[in-house]
Amino acid sequence: MSSINFKLNRILASLIDGLVMLILLVAIRIAPSINLARVIQNNNLVTGDILWLVFSFIGSVLVWILYLSLTSLLFKNATLGMKLMRLVYIRTNGTELTFINLFMRSFIYVICLILSLGLTLIFDPVSLMCNEKGKNFYDILTSTKVVSLYDVG
């Protein structure tokens, strides 16, 4: 597989996973957001409404982390998007990935996504295209790399 195809497959896999994560976010956060808008309109804002919104945010973060790490475990080192694009995670040094490795990679990704206010969604594909090995920040930080199943065998 050519380097450009590999990089495009990684970007497509990220877009698929991002869409799933967006659907999960909307599903978890829609009711608290609608409720908050309603109580603000009626000037009835109470602490419980804000707490519900905060807990739904925390819940969506946990669901994102679990989605990424559990699908990686279920699909043997690949998220849903990666599975569809025939990509997998492997350790840079060749050792087997553990659930802790997958969980930490997912945790770092979600925290960076939140702290950057979503800008990593723009910078990640750009960094993939600019890096000759097709690695991104999360690959380097967690000592992992993504490879095509065509290259693994």
Side-chain angles (χ1 to χ4, degrees), residues 66-141:
L66 288 174
Y67 162 74
L68 292 171
S69 43
L70 291 178
T71 56
S72 295
L73 190 64
L74 178 70
F75 294 130
K76 297 186 171 107
N77 302 336
T79 62
L80 177 63
M82 292 174 65
K83 181 76 171 176
L84 293 173
M85 301 313 298
R86 300 197 36 86
L87 302 170
V88 292
Y89 296 120
I90 62 170
R91 298 273 305 162
T92 304
N93 64 9
T95 59
E96 188 71 25
L97 278 167
T98 65
F99 178 73
I100 298 296
N101 300 128
L102 296 169
F103 181 83
M104 287 307 296
R105 191 177 200 290
S106 302
F107 180 80
I108 290 168
Y109 176 77
V110 170
I111 295 304
C112 288
L113 183 64
I114 292 166
L115 293 177
S116 72
L117 302 175
L119 289 177
T120 57
L121 297 174
I122 296 168
F123 295 129
D124 203 27
V126 171
S127 70
L128 280 173
M129 294 308 281
C130 293
N131 184 310
E132 67 183 50
K133 293 181 182 179
K135 292 184 102 178
N136 64 18
F137 172 74
Y138 316 106
D139 297 328
I140 295 165
L141 192 61

Side-chain angles (χ1 to χ4, degrees), residues 6-101:
F6 169 73
K7 292 175 183 180
L8 290 175
N9 281 350
R10 276 203 73 180
I11 292 170
L12 277 172
S14 293
L15 289 173
I16 292 166
D17 289 324
L19 180 61
V20 170
M21 289 170 61
L22 176 66
I23 292 168
L24 291 171
L25 173 73
V26 169
I28 293 169
R29 304 269 322 266
I30 191 83
S33 299
I34 290 171
N35 182 59
L36 186 65
R38 187 180 54 223
V39 297
I40 288 174
Q41 270 184 332
N42 297 332
N43 291 326
N44 267 351
L45 187 62
V46 293
T47 307
D49 298 321
I50 295 171
L51 283 175
W52 190 24
L53 192 66
V54 168
F55 287 134
S56 71
F57 174 76
I58 293 168
S60 62
V61 168
L62 292 174
V63 167
W64 282 352
I65 294 169
L66 288 174
Y67 162 74
L68 292 171
S69 43
L70 291 178
T71 56
S72 295
L73 190 64
L74 178 70
F75 294 130
K76 297 186 171 107
N77 302 336
T79 62
L80 177 63
M82 292 174 65
K83 181 76 171 176
L84 293 173
M85 301 313 298
R86 300 197 36 86
L87 302 170
V88 292
Y89 296 120
I90 62 170
R91 298 273 305 162
T92 304
N93 64 9
T95 59
E96 188 71 25
L97 278 167
T98 65
F99 178 73
I100 298 296
N101 300 128

Side-chain angles (χ1 to χ4, degrees), residues 136-151:
N136 64 18
F137 172 74
Y138 316 106
D139 297 328
I140 295 165
L141 192 61
T142 59
S143 298
T144 58
K145 63 182 178 179
V146 175
V147 295
S148 171
L149 284 177
Y150 298 114
D151 297 335

